[in-house]
Amino acid sequence: MEYCECLSPPIPTPQMAAPRVAVVGAGLIGLSTALRIAEVNPNCCSITLLSEQFSPNTTSDVAAGMLIPHTYPGTPIHVQKQWFKETFTYLFAISNSAEASEAGIHLVSGWQIFKNPSEAEVPFWSDIVLGFRPMSAAELQKFPQHSHGQAFTTLKCDCPPYLLWLEKRLKANGVQIHTRKVADLWELHSEYDIVVNCTGIGARQLVGDQQLFPIRGQVLKVHAPWVKNFIRDGDGLTYIYPGIDSVTLGGTREKESWRLSPDPGTTKDIFDRCCSLEPSLQRAQDIRVKVGLRPSRSCVRLQREVLSQGGAKLLVVHNYGHGAGGFSVHRGTAEEAAHLVQECIAALQGSSSRAKL
Amino acid sequence: MRIAVIGAGVIGLSTALCIHDRFHALVPQLQLEVYADRFTPHTTSDGAAGLWQPYLSDHGNLQETLWNKETFEHLLGYLNSPEAKEMGLFLISGYNLFKQPVPDPSWKNIVLGFRNLTPKELELFPGYSYGWFNTALMLECRSYLPWLTNRLAQRGVKFFHRKVESFEEMFSQGIDVVINCTGIRAGELQPDPALQPARGQIIKVLAPWVKHFIITHDMESGIYSSPYVIPGSEFTVLGGIYQQGNWNEENSAQDHKSIWERCCRLLPMLQKAEIVQEWSGLRPARPTVRLERESIGHGRSRTEVIHNYGHGGFGITIHWGCAMAAARLLGNILQEKQSQSRLRKSCHFTF
């Protein structure tokens, strides 16, 4: 897959060295944003990825990686739809290529089921996923406690494979990757010109964003390879997502809980809820419990900021706060972040040439 | 009353179980026996991927369509039960692909959620311009046959590992009714020119990222001669060989190459899949399934055979409907024998 489009790339002036870009965070958002920046600025800047954690220890690794969008109350629907469409299109192409197995991207079909007919409205993304339609009465017989449902085919990004594949593509694009804990964005100002903040839930501490809060999710990853279809209760709390080597069973949504350790009572509750939807899961083996803190916000923070102290400046692009919907929109927000980085580069050149006058 | 089932593939074992279910309480002296020279995992059924799907057209054979439906519904009933995993039973969705529009199949209302493919879905399959999506069932015989065997053994059904050379051999041992479920080798017990092998070969790979079945169709070359990919609980089966009249059970390198190349063209990601096993088998093809009674001999020494063979490439799909039909035929036989014995008793009394 070649992505050599260079949308009016900034041309480095003789006096200005190539801008130095640091992307902080190596979860899904950090990796995909760094990749997109590299793709749209192939020769124009040096990119370094800095992160304390890498796969399999990121929040993204806990998620099932299903492309089923979460709705952000603070973002216009048409924007969310655009992000989802770009992400779906990008991953669809990978799923259909020889790289699919390495990238961990695969199609999966299944059902979203509802107890309440009023909940079963047609979502904004119904025409982007494949074959979206209401479930037939015969299909609903498998779920006696639910009265309505929607059937469709979507994509799943299995992690760690997808994150590892992104890391590999970054290296192929000349991106340097370093393990480093960044305690304060300003500490980077002497080494880098532009910092892209993809720290997810870490942004709460790093930049003090009080609008960002965790929604704790506990999941089980089990061995049940006969489960080929996904099942998601429309309330979003109970779901069964079959992946390459394991099935993700979920889940919980605990607002403002920072607790990263698994809760045994919750484990049993999740297992019971999933078995009531798919009784064969009683035979699942090798149950592993994971916890992730969804970096939740009313809207994704996608904006530029200028930090300055004394005469020094540091340009920042924020790309965090994807909550429960990171996988569904990651390519779309990476695209926007990459554009913001280009604006930063242009601004740097503007001020650089102004300094020469 | 001794009843012998010959054959321990999906047809033999399911027919035996159906018969036991139906008659063991009604006929207390019922003794059920299974004779076969090949048991799981060495039967033809074991090689099948296990996808429930009839052929594209039933050629007006409504009887077979009904048996398919009965089988699907019987299996659906087990889906949410604790037995499902042990049976090798689970739901699976997938694609049937064509190069031109075709009429809907007889089974469109049997499977779940049958619909045509959207243009975007067809983008996944260059070269195919039309298709169906539906949710069906998988029944993996390497699990189902042991499950059937266990149920039968628990009920005291006896198994005999030997080759039966003739029906007479059975009757001379005191068997009252023979159920002939011998599949492709039925001709060795009684010549049947209508029964022909339809040789298949498959490659089993590890491809756990494939979650859908994909069956392509070439209306000119015929059923299962076009590539197909069927993901099982552990392995994914690649196939697309249907050779009429070929009795060779050895794997062919040429067929391997044909399957591999065509399946990788269909699904490029398969190129990275690890090959685990190769297998060839002979589908017991026949224009129609032979499911009927036959009386052998005359008068007092008249004995009954119920034939249940010739299920081609849809044995798993149709098995339970046929098992029930065979059980009904046995019911008729048992009833006749009962009336005959009453008649003899009453004659004895009047005399």
Side-chain angles (χ1 to χ4, degrees):
Chain A
M1 279 201 14
E2 303 302 318
Y3 264 98
C4 277
E5 40 153 318
C6 207
L7 311 163
S8 25
I11 303 147
T13 57
Q15 301 93 331
M16 192 186 113
R20 302 159 299 170
V21 179
V23 176
V24 185
L28 174 69
I29 300 303
L31 296 175
S32 58
T33 301
L35 184 61
R36 197 62 191 131
I37 295 168
E39 286 167 355
V40 306
N41 303 290
N43 300 307
C44 326
C45 50
S46 80
I47 306 168
T48 307
L49 186 92
L50 305 170
S51 184
E52 189 187 357
Q53 301 290 357
F54 288 85
S55 179
N57 299 316
T58 70
T59 307
S60 312
D61 289 287
V62 180
M66 288 292 286
L67 256 68
I68 298 178
H70 163 83
T71 303
Y72 301 103
T75 306
I77 293 291
H78 76 270
V79 173
Q80 299 185 49
K81 189 166 177 176
Q82 181 59 24
W83 288 344
F84 182 54
K85 189 163 184 211
E86 282 173 18
T87 306
F88 196 92
T89 304
Y90 172 67
L91 295 173
F92 187 72
I94 301 175
S95 79
N96 205 15
S97 77
E99 303 221 46
S101 55
E102 196 195 335
I105 309 290
H106 57 97
L107 283 173
V108 59
S109 298
W111 307 284
Q112 188 166 233
I113 52 182
F114 305 90
K115 289 181 171 158
N116 214 325
S118 64
E119 295 169 330
E121 322 166 320
V122 177
F124 72 81
W125 41 267
S126 68
D127 57 344
I128 299 171
V129 297
L130 305 176
F132 185 97
R133 60 175 172 81
M135 280 167 78
S136 63
E139 289 175 297
L140 280 163
Q141 280 184 4
K142 183 171 155 58
F143 309 108
Q145 317 225 320
H146 294 76
S147 59
H148 289 75
Q150 298 156 345
F152 56 94
T153 301
T154 188
L155 292 159
K156 187 178 188 295
C157 307
D158 272 44
C159 291
Y162 185 51
L163 301 185
L164 296 176
W165 181 82
L166 285 172
E167 278 183 41
K168 197 168 152 185
R169 305 232 34 218
L170 285 177
K171 288 174 187 160
N173 274 279
V175 174
Q176 299 275 308
I177 301 180
H178 299 306
T179 305
R180 173 172 170 175
K181 182 175 165 66
V182 175
D184 183 335
L185 289 183
W186 187 252
E187 80 187 47
L188 302 172
H189 83 275
S190 55
E191 301 161 73
Y192 301 97
D193 305 301
I194 302 166
V195 170
V196 188
N197 174 19
C198 303
T199 52
I201 194 62
R204 172 81 172 234
Q205 173 120 39
L206 186 62
V207 300
D209 184 347
Q210 298 296 310
Q211 290 177 52
L212 180 72
F213 59 96
I215 296 185
R216 181 183 182 280
Q218 184 163 321
V219 296
L220 313 182
K221 306 245 177 184
V222 309
H223 182 73
W226 60 86
V227 176
K228 305 288 185 193
N229 293 291
F230 73 81
I231 304 169
R232 178 181 199 264
D233 192 311
D235 67 11
L237 275 178
T238 307
Y239 49 81
I240 297 163
Y241 295 140
I244 294 174
D245 294 314
S246 66
V247 182
T248 301
L249 309 184
T252 65
R253 283 196 179 161
E254 300 153 272
K255 252 178 115 166
E256 299 284 6
S257 168
W258 288 90
R259 201 158 49 106
L260 275 171
S261 55
D263 177 75
T266 302
T267 296
K268 182 176 186 315
D269 179 56
I270 293 171
F271 192 72
D272 289 344
R273 281 187 275 128
C274 289
C275 285
S276 78
L277 292 183
E278 178 53 74
S280 69
L281 285 170
Q282 295 279 358
R283 301 281 193 256
Q285 303 259 297
D286 189 31
I287 298 173
R288 286 161 293 136
V289 191
K290 293 187 135 190
V291 177
L293 307 178
R294 300 175 185 82
S296 310
R297 212 172 176 274
S298 68
C299 63
V300 176
R301 188 177 182 199
L302 254 177
Q303 64 187 184
R304 290 170 52 190
E305 190 184 358
V306 180
L307 303 180
S308 54
Q309 267 185 46
K313 258 188 349 183
L314 180 63
L315 302 186
V316 177
V317 171
H318 296 287
N319 185 12
Y320 67 84
H322 298 72
F327 281 88
S328 299
V329 299
H330 73 274
R331 184 77 177 172
T333 57
E335 180 76 35
E336 245 187 76
H339 278 287
L340 292 177
V341 167
Q342 284 193 311
E343 285 179 14
C344 290
I345 293 174
L348 281 176
Q349 288 173 331
S351 55
S352 157
S353 47
R354 269 200 297 281
K356 295 302 152 197
L357 287 172
Chain B
M1 168 69 51
R2 282 177 67 197
I3 300 177
V5 173
I6 313 178
V10 67
I11 300 300
L13 296 182
S14 59
T15 303
L17 189 65
C18 189
I19 286 172
H20 192 274
D21 273 349
R22 210 172 271 207
F23 298 112
H24 80 277
L26 301 174
V27 185
Q29 336 86 302
L30 190 80
Q31 229 177 290
L32 196 47
E33 297 160 30
V34 174
Y35 291 79
D37 60 356
R38 291 195 205 175
F39 286 86
T40 180
H42 305 293
T43 70
T44 307
S45 309
D46 289 288
L51 178 67
W52 186 100
Q53 185 168 297
Y55 289 178
L56 296 182
S57 168
D58 60 9
H59 300 293
N61 193 329
L62 299 177
Q63 177 87 274
E64 288 183 9
T65 301
L66 182 60
W67 289 337
N68 290 332
K69 181 176 199 279
E70 288 172 340
T71 306
F72 193 86
E73 283 168 9
H74 170 80
L75 294 173
L76 214 54
Y78 275 97
L79 202 59
N80 281 351
S81 83
E83 316 252 27
K85 193 226 170 193
E86 207 191 323
M87 287 167 79
L89 177 68
F90 53 92
L91 282 173
I92 187 169
S93 304
Y95 307 91
N96 276 278
L97 304 172
F98 305 88
K99 297 189 172 173
Q100 78 262 36
V102 294
D104 289 346
S106 63
W107 40 270
K108 68 181 263 206
N109 292 321
I110 302 175
V111 295
L112 304 175
F114 181 93
R115 62 171 173 84
N116 285 345
L117 291 181
T118 62
K120 196 141 146 233
E121 289 174 304
L122 285 165
E123 277 175 41
L124 287 164
F125 310 111
Y128 296 94
S129 58
Y130 189 83
W132 308 324
F133 182 92
N134 64 266
T135 301
L137 291 166
M138 282 284 284
L139 186 62
E140 295 183 312
C141 278
R142 67 195 180 102
S143 298
Y144 188 49
L145 298 194
W147 183 83
L148 288 169
T149 305
N150 287 340
R151 298 263 137 341
L152 290 167
Q154 276 165 22
R155 291 148 192 238
V157 174
K158 302 255 184 310
F159 289 85
F160 297 90
H161 193 142
R162 73 164 210 254
K163 182 168 179 180
V164 173
E165 302 291 352
S166 67
F167 296 131
E168 287 63 40
E169 177 194 325
M170 295 276 93
F171 296 130
S172 67
Q173 282 172 35
I175 301 289
D176 298 290
V177 182
V178 168
I179 323 278
N180 177 20
C181 305
T182 50
I184 188 57
R185 287 179 290 141
E188 292 179 29
L189 288 174
Q190 187 187 87
D192 181 354
L195 179 69
Q196 291 292 316
R199 182 180 173 282
Q201 183 166 323
I202 52 120
I203 305 174
K204 269 198 207 167
V205 304
L206 278 172
W209 55 87
V210 178
K211 304 291 179 191
H212 297 93
F213 63 81
I214 305 169
I215 322 265
T216 67
H217 300 271
D218 181 335
M219 305 311 277
E220 262 141 63
S221 48
I223 193 82
Y224 301 136
S225 53
S226 193
Y228 60 79
V229 177
I230 302 175
S233 62
E234 216 180 322
F235 308 111
T236 297
V237 173
L238 311 183
I241 300 289
Y242 191 98
Q243 296 157 346
Q244 300 198 49
N246 187 348
W247 283 94
N248 195 347
E249 284 183 82
E250 298 292 308
N251 293 321
S252 139
Q254 190 179 18
D255 289 339
H256 169 99
K257 189 161 179 283
S258 164
I259 297 166
W260 185 256
E261 283 175 5
R262 290 180 302 149
C263 285
C264 285
R265 214 176 307 141
L266 178 63
L267 214 55
M269 59 171 97
L270 286 174
Q271 291 164 41
K272 304 274 170 81
E274 184 192 324
I275 296 177
V276 166
Q277 202 187 74
E278 197 115 11
W279 180 88
S280 302
L282 308 177
R283 299 176 185 87
R286 205 172 180 277
T288 57
V289 173
R290 186 177 186 200
L291 186 34
E292 62 189 5
R293 271 171 71 170
E294 187 183 0
S295 293
I296 300 198
H298 315 277
R300 281 279 197 94
S301 63
R302 205 175 78 176
T303 44
E304 303 284 337
V305 175
I306 296 174
H307 298 286
N308 186 6
Y309 68 84
H311 305 82
F314 51 89
I316 290 164
T317 299
I318 203 171
H319 81 276
W320 193 254
C322 290
M324 293 199 292
R328 281 193 289 276
L329 292 176
L330 180 62
N332 296 341
I333 294 172
L334 293 174
Q335 217 160 32
E336 285 163 22
K337 286 200 191 283
Q338 206 173 47
S339 335
Q340 279 166 10
S341 108
R342 269 197 231 110
L343 201 60
R344 271 185 235 115
K345 281 192 190 135
S346 69
C347 284
H348 186 87
F349 269 115
T350 46
F351 189 70

